[in-house]
Amino acid sequence: LVDRIQLNTDVTELRWLDAEAAWEVALTHLVPGTGDLSAADRKARVDKEGERSVYVKRERVRAKVVVSCVGILVEPNDWPVDIPGRDVFQGDIIHSARWREDVDFEDKDVVVVGTGCSAAQVVPSLFEEPYKARSVTQLMRTPPWVMPRLEEPFGKDNYARYAPIVFLYLGFLGYMYRELLYILVELIWLAVFQQKNHKWRTKLESSTLACTHSLIPEKYHDIMTPRYSYGCKRRVFDNVWLQSMHRSNFRLTTQPLKRLESDSIILGSPSPSQAASTTISTVAKETPSSKNTVEHLPASIIVLANGFSATHFLHTLTVYGRSGISLHDHWHDRGGPQAYMGTAVHGFPNFFMLTGPNTANGHSSLITSSENTVGYIGRIIKPILSGEATSVEVKVDAEKKWTREV
């Protein structure tokens, strides 16, 4: 496939040409390296340095079939617009998904915004080489449910050393390992995530919370206790983040970020819901999160681990179907993004999506789901590739029925 991959290229528009039974694809060729930038960062660079700093040329090509694999966790959430001071802050602000190797963390005061999966990976690393931060303050809105991460068979080092060799020559073992993991998470889904299994879910919540409390300082027990049911938000699988909370130069707080100054952040009082969830004993110990005063904290670097724009499918890509209406307008008229099996949309022939509407799950591997979708799309487009058909389009009734059932 190497000679068929075209890098440094952004697909900005797809337009169905009914007379040709083909898609017109608008391509924008990028300056090498700028493809790693978010759409917002590219726009900022263009505004500052001109179009030639990002874009090389534009062209349009034809394609019989288009498969969108743009993904979901692509465009990082930007700086919160309701928090002032970014223009006066003198330090670096980076997103966990757009890491910058040129930023020097050593002996710096670092603020991490967020406590999701990315933050749980970033925070422990900031204390180690090559970063060696002076202090790390982590800002949290709501605590996650934290599950122990499954350890690699025979230990992490041995697995990294020998597994590639074993799976290369004994491929069936790799397949069996994947299937066992798949079966495990499906069993967890059946046993815990089903609404009727409240008793089992309650038991898992109790054991998970007990494990979390056993690994973190007592002063964080209250703010690290979720006030929502297990599975309502994405879980964090971790064996390192919780232990890092014992470091003397680490602080976890639920105080909201109010604004930035040149070399510091301003934290406010906890919200009423957060204050209400803080027990009397916790207040007596005067934990960082229970203070009711505005606080200045030194900040040299801010790491945004605040997630992605995951609710806007296809991101900056515009798709015009048979009627000339854009896919996003089509979805707006339907009441939201929808597609038959999360893959095909009526009025948009020969167009398919991986990780489309209603396909992402919160308990299993998206890789397995994507592989199944690839096989499904491959079977559908086979008549087009062989010349037996010019187009394939899902029926509107099938699409609506599928959406209702989902």
Side-chain angles (χ1 to χ4, degrees):
L1 293 176
V2 175
D3 61 339
R4 298 177 181 270
I5 297 174
Q6 186 168 315
L7 303 176
N8 300 312
T9 306
D10 190 24
V11 180
T12 57
E13 181 185 288
L14 303 173
R15 190 176 294 273
W16 176 253
L17 305 176
D18 215 22
E20 301 179 29
W23 286 97
E24 183 182 67
V25 184
L27 305 177
T28 301
H29 297 272
L30 307 173
V31 172
T34 57
D36 293 330
L37 301 176
S38 66
D41 289 339
R42 288 186 210 165
K43 183 179 182 303
R45 179 174 292 191
V46 168
D47 293 341
K48 182 179 180 180
E49 303 177 21
E51 280 212 354
R52 301 298 292 179
S53 64
V54 176
Y55 306 116
V56 177
K57 67 174 182 176
R58 292 178 172 84
E59 68 171 330
R60 291 182 178 270
V61 298
R62 299 284 197 276
K64 292 293 293 183
V65 177
V66 174
V67 180
S68 170
C69 304
V70 298
I72 301 174
L73 306 183
V74 179
E75 285 295 316
N77 283 328
D78 202 358
W79 178 260
V81 295
D82 58 336
I83 299 177
R86 181 171 185 174
D87 55 333
V88 301
F89 183 67
Q90 299 299 309
D92 292 295
I93 300 177
I94 62 178
H95 196 281
S96 59
R98 295 293 185 272
W99 201 255
R100 287 174 49 192
E101 299 294 343
D102 62 317
V103 175
D104 181 15
F105 285 80
E106 187 170 356
D107 204 31
K108 301 290 180 61
D109 295 306
V110 182
V111 175
V112 178
V113 180
T115 50
C117 297
S118 298
Q121 298 173 70
V122 168
V123 167
S125 301
L126 295 176
F127 298 108
E128 309 295 339
E129 295 287 353
Y131 303 109
K132 303 294 289 184
R134 178 195 298 136
S135 69
V136 176
T137 300
Q138 190 168 14
L139 309 184
M140 175 175 70
R141 287 190 302 180
T142 55
W145 285 101
V146 184
M147 295 288 292
R149 180 179 175 273
L150 291 176
E151 296 288 353
E152 291 83 352
F154 310 108
K156 186 175 182 179
D157 293 338
N158 287 331
Y159 185 85
R161 182 177 180 182
Y162 296 112
I165 299 174
V166 172
F167 291 157
L168 176 64
Y169 293 101
L170 300 173
F172 70 93
L173 290 179
Y175 174 79
M176 290 176 60
Y177 185 46
R178 288 187 62 192
E179 290 301 303
L180 286 173
L181 290 176
Y182 174 79
I183 292 172
L184 174 63
V185 295
E186 288 299 310
L187 288 175
I188 293 175
W189 165 262
L190 292 173
V192 178
F193 286 87
Q194 299 295 314
Q195 185 68 30
K196 61 183 179 182
N197 295 330
H198 176 73
K199 183 178 179 180
W200 289 2
R201 185 164 58 252
T202 301
K203 287 184 177 180
L204 181 61
E205 288 176 355
S206 298
S207 62
T208 300
L209 191 58
C211 179
T212 296
H213 286 177
S214 70
L215 296 173
I216 64 177
E218 185 180 355
K219 63 182 179 180
Y220 295 136
H221 281 193
D222 194 74
I223 62 173
M224 279 294 290
T225 299
R227 265 70 181 181
Y228 56 90
S229 186
Y230 182 92
C232 291
K233 292 181 65 176
R234 191 179 183 193
R235 298 164 294 168
V236 172
F237 289 85
D238 168 75
N239 291 334
V240 183
W241 173 48
L242 298 182
Q243 290 93 324
S244 70
M245 294 184 185
H246 287 278
R247 289 181 175 269
S248 59
N249 56 345
F250 172 82
R251 173 180 173 182
L252 177 67
T253 179
T254 57
Q255 290 175 259
L257 179 60
K258 290 298 185 181
R259 69 176 187 274
L260 303 184
E261 294 188 347
S262 61
D263 58 355
S264 63
I265 63 172
I266 310 301
L267 299 180
S269 301
S271 66
S273 61
Q274 292 168 336
S277 68
T278 305
T279 62
I280 295 176
S281 61
T282 306
V283 174
K285 295 175 184 177
E286 294 185 350
T287 64
S289 299
S290 61
K291 296 179 181 179
N292 291 317
T293 58
V294 173
E295 183 179 2
H296 288 67
L297 282 181
S300 309
I301 301 170
I302 298 176
V303 177
L304 295 177
N306 60 338
F308 300 81
S309 176
T311 58
H312 185 71
F313 282 93
L314 304 182
H315 306 288
T316 57
L317 176 62
T318 304
V319 184
Y320 296 97
R322 190 188 298 278
S323 62
I325 298 176
S326 76
L327 182 55
H328 289 103
D329 288 340
H330 173 78
W331 280 339
H332 181 269
D333 294 340
R334 291 279 184 89
Q338 54 188 263
Y340 178 70
M341 297 189 71
T343 301
V345 181
H346 175 73
F348 296 80
N350 295 7
F351 175 74
F352 307 95
M353 293 173 285
L354 262 67
T355 62
N358 299 311
T359 60
N361 57 67
H363 75 287
S364 187
S365 171
L366 195 58
I367 296 176
T368 301
S369 173
S370 297
E371 289 176 343
N372 291 336
T373 305
V374 168
Y376 176 69
I377 294 174
R379 293 193 297 273
I380 293 176
I381 67 175
K382 189 174 181 180
I384 300 175
L385 301 180
S386 64
E388 299 175 27
T390 57
S391 65
V392 174
E393 183 178 355
V394 64
K395 295 179 179 178
V396 64
D397 291 340
E399 181 187 336
K400 290 182 177 181
K401 181 175 182 293
W402 168 264
T403 303
R404 284 195 304 270
E405 291 176 351
V406 170

